[in-house]
Amino acid sequence: MGLVDGDAHWKRMRLRTVVKESHGRPVAQMAYAKGACSNLVAVVGGDQANIYDDQHFERHLDVVAQYVHVKTKHVQGGELMCCCFVGCTEKDAKKHPYGDVRLAVGGEDGSVSILSLVEGRVLHILKKHQKPVVAVAADENVPGQILSLGEDGMIYHWNAEEGTLLHTVVGKDATAVAVEPGARNGIRALITGHKTGQIKRWTLSVSKDTPQRKRARVADDLSMHAHSRTLDCLAFLPGNRLASKSTDGKVVVWDYETMEQVCAWQVRVPGKESNFSHFGPTEDGSYIATGTGDGHVHVHCCSTGRNMATLSPVKVNGPVTCSIVSADCNHVLASLGAGFIFRFEYGVPAAEGSVGVVAEAIDKHPTME
């Protein structure tokens, strides 16, 4: 069953906390850190990247750090589009005996900034994209390396510790990217999702050529036409599985070795046929939380495709732009509206987590309208 007893667990989720970010713009992406720092959650929206503590302040999410992407002599500034946590290398461990947390954020100005939480500064600014950066991806087992995807389909493989470019991949109409797990000495393969609904696998060369000359070999479409709309999410799950989602709300879980479908489901709202929304798999890959265009979050089982629960916000309308699940599965975060984050929590007393109580709290705070 995984981390939780499915039916009993998800049916006890209650809306407990609502956060309104000061930028007042839709949240672009959220991500939980992994390992010892899994209490930290990064949120990017507007020109801000905020890192919250999601565990140690009871019903509150407390801001640990904030980065504002303003115009400087190094970057044009503007809105941030995506984020991911980056694993630290052994070299960094020697520099910071108690560890560090690093976050990569991609901007509409084409830059990727590598942030250090411990040092409280920007370590590197990776500049190669000519278009907005729409996705960044990393694998905790390959520390210090990331992938960045531009709106024009260009994909760059970076050494984030040194700020150097390693590979260039011409992804053409790519709209989503994920690092293939299993490598230990650097990223060796990646998966891309495309506007056509295709899924492609790329292998990276290990030659000593310059980054501009290094080649990436691409396989044929792996999705067998399962998706007919633009792919907006890709994620590898434990057990050698791959999850893909398209903007029409269709989610497919694949056996990655055979690329046969394990299960599939669709969360579609009549009249809202297309919605770009990041999904959130649980850490053990047993469930996925998916947002819809009408503001709801649906939790499905990755083995059967069964809908385990539907989580609903209050007082705020709009499509869910991102939904994520904490490592212990006790929190589900969903972003929608003008910078609102809704946190659903397991085991909250019915009176404390009732819709009426939360709605009343929103009404009492004009800044949350």
Side-chain angles (χ1 to χ4, degrees), residues 310-331:
T310 297
L311 310 177
S312 304
V314 295
K315 304 290 285 187
V316 178
N317 297 316
V320 175
T321 57
C322 183
S323 50
I324 55 176
V325 184
S326 62
D328 59 7
C329 295
N330 285 335
H331 292 166

mmCIF file with all atom_site columns, all heavy atoms in Angstrom, residues 310-331:
data_model
loop_
_atom_site.group_PDB
_atom_site.id
_atom_site.type_symbol
_atom_site.label_atom_id
_atom_site.label_alt_id
_atom_site.label_comp_id
_atom_site.label_asym_id
_atom_site.label_entity_id
_atom_site.label_seq_id
_atom_site.pdbx_PDB_ins_code
_atom_site.Cartn_x
_atom_site.Cartn_y
_atom_site.Cartn_z
_atom_site.occupancy
_atom_site.B_iso_or_equiv
_atom_site.pdbx_formal_charge
_atom_site.auth_seq_id
_atom_site.auth_comp_id
_atom_site.auth_asym_id
_atom_site.auth_atom_id
_atom_site.pdbx_PDB_model_num
ATOM 1   N N   . THR A 1 310 ? -11.146 13.886 -3.473  1.00 0.00 ? 310 THR A N   1
ATOM 2   C CA  . THR A 1 310 ? -11.194 15.174 -4.159  1.00 0.00 ? 310 THR A CA  1
ATOM 3   C C   . THR A 1 310 ? -11.119 16.265 -3.106  1.00 0.00 ? 310 THR A C   1
ATOM 4   O O   . THR A 1 310 ? -11.957 16.309 -2.188  1.00 0.00 ? 310 THR A O   1
ATOM 5   C CB  . THR A 1 310 ? -12.479 15.328 -4.990  1.00 0.00 ? 310 THR A CB  1
ATOM 6   O OG1 . THR A 1 310 ? -12.500 14.325 -6.011  1.00 0.00 ? 310 THR A OG1 1
ATOM 7   C CG2 . THR A 1 310 ? -12.538 16.700 -5.644  1.00 0.00 ? 310 THR A CG2 1
ATOM 8   N N   . LEU A 1 311 ? -10.110 17.113 -3.202  1.00 0.00 ? 311 LEU A N   1
ATOM 9   C CA  . LEU A 1 311 ? -9.874  18.180 -2.229  1.00 0.00 ? 311 LEU A CA  1
ATOM 10  C C   . LEU A 1 311 ? -10.278 19.510 -2.852  1.00 0.00 ? 311 LEU A C   1
ATOM 11  O O   . LEU A 1 311 ? -9.873  19.818 -3.974  1.00 0.00 ? 311 LEU A O   1
ATOM 12  C CB  . LEU A 1 311 ? -8.403  18.205 -1.812  1.00 0.00 ? 311 LEU A CB  1
ATOM 13  C CG  . LEU A 1 311 ? -7.804  16.848 -1.390  1.00 0.00 ? 311 LEU A CG  1
ATOM 14  C CD1 . LEU A 1 311 ? -6.328  16.990 -1.081  1.00 0.00 ? 311 LEU A CD1 1
ATOM 15  C CD2 . LEU A 1 311 ? -8.556  16.280 -0.197  1.00 0.00 ? 311 LEU A CD2 1
ATOM 16  N N   . SER A 1 312 ? -11.061 20.298 -2.117  1.00 0.00 ? 312 SER A N   1
ATOM 17  C CA  . SER A 1 312 ? -11.642 21.523 -2.680  1.00 0.00 ? 312 SER A CA  1
ATOM 18  C C   . SER A 1 312 ? -11.248 22.749 -1.871  1.00 0.00 ? 312 SER A C   1
ATOM 19  O O   . SER A 1 312 ? -11.275 22.726 -0.633  1.00 0.00 ? 312 SER A O   1
ATOM 20  C CB  . SER A 1 312 ? -13.169 21.410 -2.722  1.00 0.00 ? 312 SER A CB  1
ATOM 21  O OG  . SER A 1 312 ? -13.563 20.261 -3.460  1.00 0.00 ? 312 SER A OG  1
ATOM 22  N N   . PRO A 1 313 ? -10.895 23.850 -2.539  1.00 0.00 ? 313 PRO A N   1
ATOM 23  C CA  . PRO A 1 313 ? -10.584 25.107 -1.854  1.00 0.00 ? 313 PRO A CA  1
ATOM 24  C C   . PRO A 1 313 ? -11.875 25.849 -1.497  1.00 0.00 ? 313 PRO A C   1
ATOM 25  O O   . PRO A 1 313 ? -12.983 25.374 -1.795  1.00 0.00 ? 313 PRO A O   1
ATOM 26  C CB  . PRO A 1 313 ? -9.782  25.875 -2.900  1.00 0.00 ? 313 PRO A CB  1
ATOM 27  C CG  . PRO A 1 313 ? -10.400 25.433 -4.189  1.00 0.00 ? 313 PRO A CG  1
ATOM 28  C CD  . PRO A 1 313 ? -10.776 23.978 -3.991  1.00 0.00 ? 313 PRO A CD  1
ATOM 29  N N   . VAL A 1 314 ? -11.735 27.006 -0.868  1.00 0.00 ? 314 VAL A N   1
ATOM 30  C CA  . VAL A 1 314 ? -12.887 27.851 -0.564  1.00 0.00 ? 314 VAL A CA  1
ATOM 31  C C   . VAL A 1 314 ? -12.568 29.296 -0.926  1.00 0.00 ? 314 VAL A C   1
ATOM 32  O O   . VAL A 1 314 ? -11.408 29.709 -0.882  1.00 0.00 ? 314 VAL A O   1
ATOM 33  C CB  . VAL A 1 314 ? -13.273 27.788 0.935   1.00 0.00 ? 314 VAL A CB  1
ATOM 34  C CG1 . VAL A 1 314 ? -13.741 26.402 1.326   1.00 0.00 ? 314 VAL A CG1 1
ATOM 35  C CG2 . VAL A 1 314 ? -12.102 28.223 1.826   1.00 0.00 ? 314 VAL A CG2 1
ATOM 36  N N   . LYS A 1 315 ? -13.593 30.041 -1.321  1.00 0.00 ? 315 LYS A N   1
ATOM 37  C CA  . LYS A 1 315 ? -13.520 31.493 -1.515  1.00 0.00 ? 315 LYS A CA  1
ATOM 38  C C   . LYS A 1 315 ? -12.618 31.962 -2.648  1.00 0.00 ? 315 LYS A C   1
ATOM 39  O O   . LYS A 1 315 ? -12.518 33.154 -2.914  1.00 0.00 ? 315 LYS A O   1
ATOM 40  C CB  . LYS A 1 315 ? -13.062 32.192 -0.221  1.00 0.00 ? 315 LYS A CB  1
ATOM 41  C CG  . LYS A 1 315 ? -13.907 31.895 0.996   1.00 0.00 ? 315 LYS A CG  1
ATOM 42  C CD  . LYS A 1 315 ? -15.267 32.541 0.889   1.00 0.00 ? 315 LYS A CD  1
ATOM 43  C CE  . LYS A 1 315 ? -15.188 34.039 1.128   1.00 0.00 ? 315 LYS A CE  1
ATOM 44  N NZ  . LYS A 1 315 ? -16.522 34.670 1.182   1.00 0.00 ? 315 LYS A NZ  1
ATOM 45  N N   . VAL A 1 316 ? -11.910 31.057 -3.293  1.00 0.00 ? 316 VAL A N   1
ATOM 46  C CA  . VAL A 1 316 ? -10.999 31.426 -4.379  1.00 0.00 ? 316 VAL A CA  1
ATOM 47  C C   . VAL A 1 316 ? -11.321 30.570 -5.590  1.00 0.00 ? 316 VAL A C   1
ATOM 48  O O   . VAL A 1 316 ? -11.431 29.345 -5.485  1.00 0.00 ? 316 VAL A O   1
ATOM 49  C CB  . VAL A 1 316 ? -9.516  31.233 -3.985  1.00 0.00 ? 316 VAL A CB  1
ATOM 50  C CG1 . VAL A 1 316 ? -8.602  31.568 -5.152  1.00 0.00 ? 316 VAL A CG1 1
ATOM 51  C CG2 . VAL A 1 316 ? -9.174  32.095 -2.774  1.00 0.00 ? 316 VAL A CG2 1
ATOM 52  N N   . ASN A 1 317 ? -11.479 31.229 -6.733  1.00 0.00 ? 317 ASN A N   1
ATOM 53  C CA  . ASN A 1 317 ? -11.777 30.508 -7.965  1.00 0.00 ? 317 ASN A CA  1
ATOM 54  C C   . ASN A 1 317 ? -10.577 30.540 -8.906  1.00 0.00 ? 317 ASN A C   1
ATOM 55  O O   . ASN A 1 317 ? -9.740  31.433 -8.840  1.00 0.00 ? 317 ASN A O   1
ATOM 56  C CB  . ASN A 1 317 ? -12.988 31.137 -8.664  1.00 0.00 ? 317 ASN A CB  1
ATOM 57  C CG  . ASN A 1 317 ? -14.250 31.040 -7.834  1.00 0.00 ? 317 ASN A CG  1
ATOM 58  O OD1 . ASN A 1 317 ? -14.529 29.995 -7.264  1.00 0.00 ? 317 ASN A OD1 1
ATOM 59  N ND2 . ASN A 1 317 ? -15.009 32.124 -7.786  1.00 0.00 ? 317 ASN A ND2 1
ATOM 60  N N   . GLY A 1 318 ? -10.534 29.576 -9.789  1.00 0.00 ? 318 GLY A N   1
ATOM 61  C CA  . GLY A 1 318 ? -9.471  29.551 -10.782 1.00 0.00 ? 318 GLY A CA  1
ATOM 62  C C   . GLY A 1 318 ? -8.858  28.179 -10.907 1.00 0.00 ? 318 GLY A C   1
ATOM 63  O O   . GLY A 1 318 ? -9.062  27.308 -10.046 1.00 0.00 ? 318 GLY A O   1
ATOM 64  N N   . PRO A 1 319 ? -8.089  27.961 -11.956 1.00 0.00 ? 319 PRO A N   1
ATOM 65  C CA  . PRO A 1 319 ? -7.447  26.656 -12.160 1.00 0.00 ? 319 PRO A CA  1
ATOM 66  C C   . PRO A 1 319 ? -6.318  26.425 -11.171 1.00 0.00 ? 319 PRO A C   1
ATOM 67  O O   . PRO A 1 319 ? -5.664  27.367 -10.722 1.00 0.00 ? 319 PRO A O   1
ATOM 68  C CB  . PRO A 1 319 ? -6.920  26.748 -13.594 1.00 0.00 ? 319 PRO A CB  1
ATOM 69  C CG  . PRO A 1 319 ? -6.729  28.212 -13.834 1.00 0.00 ? 319 PRO A CG  1
ATOM 70  C CD  . PRO A 1 319 ? -7.818  28.895 -13.068 1.00 0.00 ? 319 PRO A CD  1
ATOM 71  N N   . VAL A 1 320 ? -6.095  25.166 -10.815 1.00 0.00 ? 320 VAL A N   1
ATOM 72  C CA  . VAL A 1 320 ? -4.960  24.789 -9.980  1.00 0.00 ? 320 VAL A CA  1
ATOM 73  C C   . VAL A 1 320 ? -3.716  24.770 -10.870 1.00 0.00 ? 320 VAL A C   1
ATOM 74  O O   . VAL A 1 320 ? -3.674  24.054 -11.866 1.00 0.00 ? 320 VAL A O   1
ATOM 75  C CB  . VAL A 1 320 ? -5.174  23.409 -9.330  1.00 0.00 ? 320 VAL A CB  1
ATOM 76  C CG1 . VAL A 1 320 ? -3.930  22.972 -8.556  1.00 0.00 ? 320 VAL A CG1 1
ATOM 77  C CG2 . VAL A 1 320 ? -6.385  23.442 -8.414  1.00 0.00 ? 320 VAL A CG2 1
ATOM 78  N N   . THR A 1 321 ? -2.709  25.558 -10.512 1.00 0.00 ? 321 THR A N   1
ATOM 79  C CA  . THR A 1 321 ? -1.487  25.607 -11.319 1.00 0.00 ? 321 THR A CA  1
ATOM 80  C C   . THR A 1 321 ? -0.469  24.564 -10.884 1.00 0.00 ? 321 THR A C   1
ATOM 81  O O   . THR A 1 321 ? 0.390   24.164 -11.660 1.00 0.00 ? 321 THR A O   1
ATOM 82  C CB  . THR A 1 321 ? -0.841  26.995 -11.235 1.00 0.00 ? 321 THR A CB  1
ATOM 83  O OG1 . THR A 1 321 ? -0.562  27.316 -9.861  1.00 0.00 ? 321 THR A OG1 1
ATOM 84  C CG2 . THR A 1 321 ? -1.769  28.054 -11.824 1.00 0.00 ? 321 THR A CG2 1
ATOM 85  N N   . CYS A 1 322 ? -0.569  24.116 -9.635  1.00 0.00 ? 322 CYS A N   1
ATOM 86  C CA  . CYS A 1 322 ? 0.391   23.121 -9.141  1.00 0.00 ? 322 CYS A CA  1
ATOM 87  C C   . CYS A 1 322 ? -0.175  22.453 -7.897  1.00 0.00 ? 322 CYS A C   1
ATOM 88  O O   . CYS A 1 322 ? -0.866  23.094 -7.097  1.00 0.00 ? 322 CYS A O   1
ATOM 89  C CB  . CYS A 1 322 ? 1.720   23.802 -8.798  1.00 0.00 ? 322 CYS A CB  1
ATOM 90  S SG  . CYS A 1 322 ? 3.024   22.665 -8.264  1.00 0.00 ? 322 CYS A SG  1
ATOM 91  N N   . SER A 1 323 ? 0.093   21.163 -7.734  1.00 0.00 ? 323 SER A N   1
ATOM 92  C CA  . SER A 1 323 ? -0.270  20.444 -6.513  1.00 0.00 ? 323 SER A CA  1
ATOM 93  C C   . SER A 1 323 ? 0.867   19.494 -6.163  1.00 0.00 ? 323 SER A C   1
ATOM 94  O O   . SER A 1 323 ? 1.419   18.834 -7.041  1.00 0.00 ? 323 SER A O   1
ATOM 95  C CB  . SER A 1 323 ? -1.583  19.677 -6.689  1.00 0.00 ? 323 SER A CB  1
ATOM 96  O OG  . SER A 1 323 ? -1.568  18.897 -7.867  1.00 0.00 ? 323 SER A OG  1
ATOM 97  N N   . ILE A 1 324 ? 1.231   19.449 -4.874  1.00 0.00 ? 324 ILE A N   1
ATOM 98  C CA  . ILE A 1 324 ? 2.338   18.608 -4.421  1.00 0.00 ? 324 ILE A CA  1
ATOM 99  C C   . ILE A 1 324 ? 1.954   17.935 -3.110  1.00 0.00 ? 324 ILE A C   1
ATOM 100 O O   . ILE A 1 324 ? 1.055   18.387 -2.398  1.00 0.00 ? 324 ILE A O   1
ATOM 101 C CB  . ILE A 1 324 ? 3.649   19.405 -4.242  1.00 0.00 ? 324 ILE A CB  1
ATOM 102 C CG1 . ILE A 1 324 ? 3.431   20.590 -3.293  1.00 0.00 ? 324 ILE A CG1 1
ATOM 103 C CG2 . ILE A 1 324 ? 4.187   19.867 -5.582  1.00 0.00 ? 324 ILE A CG2 1
ATOM 104 C CD1 . ILE A 1 324 ? 4.712   21.368 -2.988  1.00 0.00 ? 324 ILE A CD1 1
ATOM 105 N N   . VAL A 1 325 ? 2.664   16.847 -2.781  1.00 0.00 ? 325 VAL A N   1
ATOM 106 C CA  . VAL A 1 325 ? 2.381   16.059 -1.582  1.00 0.00 ? 325 VAL A CA  1
ATOM 107 C C   . VAL A 1 325 ? 3.658   15.956 -0.759  1.00 0.00 ? 325 VAL A C   1
ATOM 108 O O   . VAL A 1 325 ? 4.741   15.698 -1.300  1.00 0.00 ? 325 VAL A O   1
ATOM 109 C CB  . VAL A 1 325 ? 1.878   14.650 -1.941  1.00 0.00 ? 325 VAL A CB  1
ATOM 110 C CG1 . VAL A 1 325 ? 1.485   13.884 -0.679  1.00 0.00 ? 325 VAL A CG1 1
ATOM 111 C CG2 . VAL A 1 325 ? 0.713   14.722 -2.916  1.00 0.00 ? 325 VAL A CG2 1
ATOM 112 N N   . SER A 1 326 ? 3.542   16.146 0.564   1.00 0.00 ? 326 SER A N   1
ATOM 113 C CA  . SER A 1 326 ? 4.711   16.063 1.443   1.00 0.00 ? 326 SER A CA  1
ATOM 114 C C   . SER A 1 326 ? 5.224   14.628 1.519   1.00 0.00 ? 326 SER A C   1
ATOM 115 O O   . SER A 1 326 ? 4.524   13.677 1.174   1.00 0.00 ? 326 SER A O   1
ATOM 116 C CB  . SER A 1 326 ? 4.359   16.568 2.847   1.00 0.00 ? 326 SER A CB  1
ATOM 117 O OG  . SER A 1 326 ? 3.351   15.765 3.426   1.00 0.00 ? 326 SER A OG  1
ATOM 118 N N   . ALA A 1 327 ? 6.458   14.477 2.009   1.00 0.00 ? 327 ALA A N   1
ATOM 119 C CA  . ALA A 1 327 ? 7.100   13.165 2.041   1.00 0.00 ? 327 ALA A CA  1
ATOM 120 C C   . ALA A 1 327 ? 6.320   12.169 2.894   1.00 0.00 ? 327 ALA A C   1
ATOM 121 O O   . ALA A 1 327 ? 6.262   10.975 2.574   1.00 0.00 ? 327 ALA A O   1
ATOM 122 C CB  . ALA A 1 327 ? 8.532   13.305 2.563   1.00 0.00 ? 327 ALA A CB  1
ATOM 123 N N   . ASP A 1 328 ? 5.696   12.637 3.977   1.00 0.00 ? 328 ASP A N   1
ATOM 124 C CA  . ASP A 1 328 ? 4.930   11.733 4.838   1.00 0.00 ? 328 ASP A CA  1
ATOM 125 C C   . ASP A 1 328 ? 3.468   11.625 4.428   1.00 0.00 ? 328 ASP A C   1
ATOM 126 O O   . ASP A 1 328 ? 2.673   10.957 5.100   1.00 0.00 ? 328 ASP A O   1
ATOM 127 C CB  . ASP A 1 328 ? 5.034   12.176 6.301   1.00 0.00 ? 328 ASP A CB  1
ATOM 128 C CG  . ASP A 1 328 ? 4.516   13.601 6.526   1.00 0.00 ? 328 ASP A CG  1
ATOM 129 O OD1 . ASP A 1 328 ? 3.962   14.195 5.584   1.00 0.00 ? 328 ASP A OD1 1
ATOM 130 O OD2 . ASP A 1 328 ? 4.689   14.109 7.654   1.00 0.00 ? 328 ASP A OD2 1
ATOM 131 N N   . CYS A 1 329 ? 3.103   12.275 3.342   1.00 0.00 ? 329 CYS A N   1
ATOM 132 C CA  . CYS A 1 329 ? 1.735   12.264 2.802   1.00 0.00 ? 329 CYS A CA  1
ATOM 133 C C   . CYS A 1 329 ? 0.708   12.935 3.718   1.00 0.00 ? 329 CYS A C   1
ATOM 134 O O   . CYS A 1 329 ? -0.495  12.797 3.499   1.00 0.00 ? 329 CYS A O   1
ATOM 135 C CB  . CYS A 1 329 ? 1.266   10.844 2.485   1.00 0.00 ? 329 CYS A CB  1
ATOM 136 S SG  . CYS A 1 329 ? 2.211   10.057 1.166   1.00 0.00 ? 329 CYS A SG  1
ATOM 137 N N   . ASN A 1 330 ? 1.159   13.685 4.705   1.00 0.00 ? 330 ASN A N   1
ATOM 138 C CA  . ASN A 1 330 ? 0.233   14.336 5.628   1.00 0.00 ? 330 ASN A CA  1
ATOM 139 C C   . ASN A 1 330 ? -0.221  15.707 5.150   1.00 0.00 ? 330 ASN A C   1
ATOM 140 O O   . ASN A 1 330 ? -1.178  16.257 5.696   1.00 0.00 ? 330 ASN A O   1
ATOM 141 C CB  . ASN A 1 330 ? 0.862   14.465 7.017   1.00 0.00 ? 330 ASN A CB  1
ATOM 142 C CG  . ASN A 1 330 ? 0.891   13.148 7.747   1.00 0.00 ? 330 ASN A CG  1
ATOM 143 O OD1 . ASN A 1 330 ? 0.091   12.245 7.478   1.00 0.00 ? 330 ASN A OD1 1
ATOM 144 N ND2 . ASN A 1 330 ? 1.825   12.996 8.671   1.00 0.00 ? 330 ASN A ND2 1
ATOM 145 N N   . HIS A 1 331 ? 0.459   16.260 4.153   1.00 0.00 ? 331 HIS A N   1
ATOM 146 C CA  . HIS A 1 331 ? 0.076   17.562 3.613   1.00 0.00 ? 331 HIS A CA  1
ATOM 147 C C   . HIS A 1 331 ? -0.049  17.481 2.094   1.00 0.00 ? 331 HIS A C   1
ATOM 148 O O   . HIS A 1 331 ? 0.781   16.859 1.427   1.00 0.00 ? 331 HIS A O   1
ATOM 149 C CB  . HIS A 1 331 ? 1.114   18.638 3.951   1.00 0.00 ? 331 HIS A CB  1
ATOM 150 C CG  . HIS A 1 331 ? 1.191   18.980 5.403   1.00 0.00 ? 331 HIS A CG  1
ATOM 151 N ND1 . HIS A 1 331 ? 2.234   19.696 5.943   1.00 0.00 ? 331 HIS A ND1 1
ATOM 152 C CD2 . HIS A 1 331 ? 0.360   18.703 6.436   1.00 0.00 ? 331 HIS A CD2 1
ATOM 153 C CE1 . HIS A 1 331 ? 2.039   19.846 7.245   1.00 0.00 ? 331 HIS A CE1 1
ATOM 154 N NE2 . HIS A 1 331 ? 0.908   19.245 7.562   1.00 0.00 ? 331 HIS A NE2 1
#
